[in-house]
Amino acid sequence: MRVLGIETSCDETAAAVVTEGGDVLSDVVRSQVALHAPYGGVVPEVAARDHARAVVPVVREALSRAGVAAADLDGVAVTSRPGLAGALLVGLQAAKGLAWAAGKPLVGVDHLVGHLLAVFLRRGGAPAQEERPSFPYVALLASGGHTAIYRVDGPSLGAIRELGATRDDAAGEAFDKVAKLLGLGYPGGPVVDRLAATGDPAAASEAVPAVMARKESLEFSFSGIKSAVARHVARRGRPEGQALHDLCAAFQGAVVDALVQKTVRAARVEGVERVVLAGGVAANRGLRARMAAACERRGLALFVPPFASCTDNGAMIAYAGALRLAAGERDALDLAPETRTALPRVTRKGGGAR
C-alpha cells in the first residue's frame, strides 16, 4: 500500500509517500520559518496564504521523488486536526481535490497521532530493525504547540490515552518565548540548545526555578519559568557571552528535567517498559541525552525517531493514514478542519486547585 500524506497544520507545507509498513518513499518539507521570523512567531493568515502557494508544487515533488503518479496511490491522507484553521483548510482542499480526481479514498489524520506513530517510519531504505517499539509504550510528545505524556496501546484514537499535559505553554513555546526575551530570534529552540551545550547551569540556577516539581503529578507548567527568566532579564539586562550560555543551560536543564522525570514516572506508574520521544522538541540534544541516561538507569527501552521524523512532516501523516486505510476506514469529502485534537484530554488548562 502506497499512501500520499499532506501536512499543513502550522508553518510547514509537507507531503510524502509512505507504505503501510512505514517505508518512506519520499518526504518533502517546505518551511515557513523565514516568513514568520520577523514577527517572532507564526502568523495564521501568513501561514495559510503560503500553504496555498506551496501545496501543489510540494505534492508534485513528493510524487515525483517516489516515482509514482496519483493513479498509483492507494489513498490520500491529510492532517485534519489539530492546527490553525486556515492552514488545515488548505491541505484538506488539496487532498480532497486529488482524491476525488484520482478516484482514491481519503482519510483524515490527527496531527498528534501522526507524531506518536512517527517512531515507526523507516527512512533511507533502512532494513527492518528491532529498534521499533511494540505496544504499549509511554510517549512524550513535546513540540511548539503541544506537550503531553500518552500511553499508546495501539495506533487508533481509542488506544491512546493522555496521562498528563501542560496547563499553559507547551515546552517548545517556552523555548521560543525565552529566546525572544534573550534576543536570540525565532525559532528559539535550536539556538537555546546550541548555546546550552557550552553553558554551566549551576552558574545561573538562581534565575531559573524548578518546573512544577510535585512528585505525584504528571502535568506540566512552563509559564513560571518563562516569567522567572523575564524578571531576571528585567533586573540585570540581557546577558552576553558566557553568562548567556549559562542562562540557556539553566533554563534548558530545568525544562528537560521536568520532561524526563515525569515521563519516566509515567512509565513506572503504567508498568510499561518502553518510552518514545515525539514532536519537534524531541530533536533537542539535551533532552535526548538525559532521557537516554534516565531510561538506562531504570531499565527502560528508549525509542527516538531521527530528526526528520520529529519535526512536522508528511511521512507521519501518510503512515497514520495508511494504518487507517488498512483497517478499512474512510472519510467523506465533507471532512472539515478542527482546531482541537480528537484525543481525550485529562489536563485542565489554567491555574487553580485540581
Side-chain angles (χ1 to χ4, degrees), residues 36-348:
H36 300 290
Y39 308 102
V42 177
V43 181
E45 180 65 18
V46 172
R49 289 180 180 275
D50 195 65
H51 285 310
R53 288 188 289 266
V55 66
V56 170
V58 166
V59 167
R60 284 177 174 161
E61 181 65 18
L63 293 174
S64 174
R65 291 186 188 181
V68 299
D72 301 319
L73 298 172
D74 294 289
V76 178
V78 60
T79 304
S80 59
R81 62 192 307 163
L84 303 173
L88 290 170
L89 186 60
V90 173
L92 272 167
Q93 295 302 91
K96 289 177 185 180
L98 181 59
W100 179 82
K104 304 298 179 180
L106 172 76
V107 287
V109 172
D110 190 294
H111 181 81
L112 303 191
V113 175
H115 273 305
L116 293 172
L117 299 178
V119 69
F120 294 102
L121 295 174
R122 196 158 46 228
R123 295 177 176 273
Q129 48 195 318
E130 299 176 2
E131 293 159 3
R132 298 166 122 196
S134 56
F135 299 110
Y137 55 80
V138 164
L140 169 66
L141 197 171
S143 68
H146 309 278
T147 297
I149 302 172
Y150 295 92
R151 178 187 171 112
V152 183
D153 289 295
S156 64
L157 285 171
I160 301 173
R161 177 164 55 92
E162 181 190 297
L163 303 176
T166 180
R167 295 182 178 183
D168 39 60
D169 292 346
E173 187 179 6
F175 271 93
D176 286 341
K177 289 180 176 179
V178 166
K180 186 175 183 179
L181 286 169
L182 299 177
L184 300 178
Y186 172 86
V191 182
V192 172
D193 186 28
R194 177 172 54 82
L195 296 179
T198 53
D200 177 10
S205 59
E206 80 287 348
V208 180
V211 176
M212 200 172 173
R214 288 196 352 242
K215 289 186 177 181
E216 73 280 3
S217 174
L218 295 178
E219 297 180 355
F220 302 94
S221 174
F222 298 106
S223 62
I225 189 173
K226 173 196 67 181
S227 299
V229 173
R231 290 192 295 269
H232 179 79
V233 171
R235 288 194 307 267
R236 304 190 180 185
R238 287 178 175 172
E240 298 179 353
Q242 188 59 42
L244 175 60
H245 292 231
D246 294 342
L247 184 56
C248 287
F251 166 76
Q252 176 165 291
V255 172
V256 166
D257 282 347
L259 295 174
V260 170
Q261 291 169 11
K262 291 176 184 283
T263 302
V264 171
R265 185 181 308 141
R268 186 180 69 247
V269 170
E270 292 296 312
V272 174
E273 298 179 349
R274 291 166 292 277
V275 172
V276 168
L277 290 185
V281 179
N284 181 281
R285 293 170 296 177
L287 175 59
R288 286 175 172 239
R290 294 200 199 185
M291 188 69 80
C295 288
E296 184 177 3
R297 286 195 303 269
R298 291 161 179 80
L300 300 172
L302 176 64
F303 300 86
V304 185
F307 291 119
S309 295
C310 293
T311 52
D312 291 353
N313 61 88
M316 68 183 190
I317 303 304
Y319 178 66
L323 296 184
R324 286 200 63 199
L325 289 167
E329 300 177 26
R330 306 287 189 275
D331 284 312
L333 291 177
D334 61 355
L335 179 65
E338 296 286 345
T339 58
R340 295 187 177 185
T341 179
L343 295 173
R345 292 178 174 177
V346 300
T347 301
R348 182 169 62 85

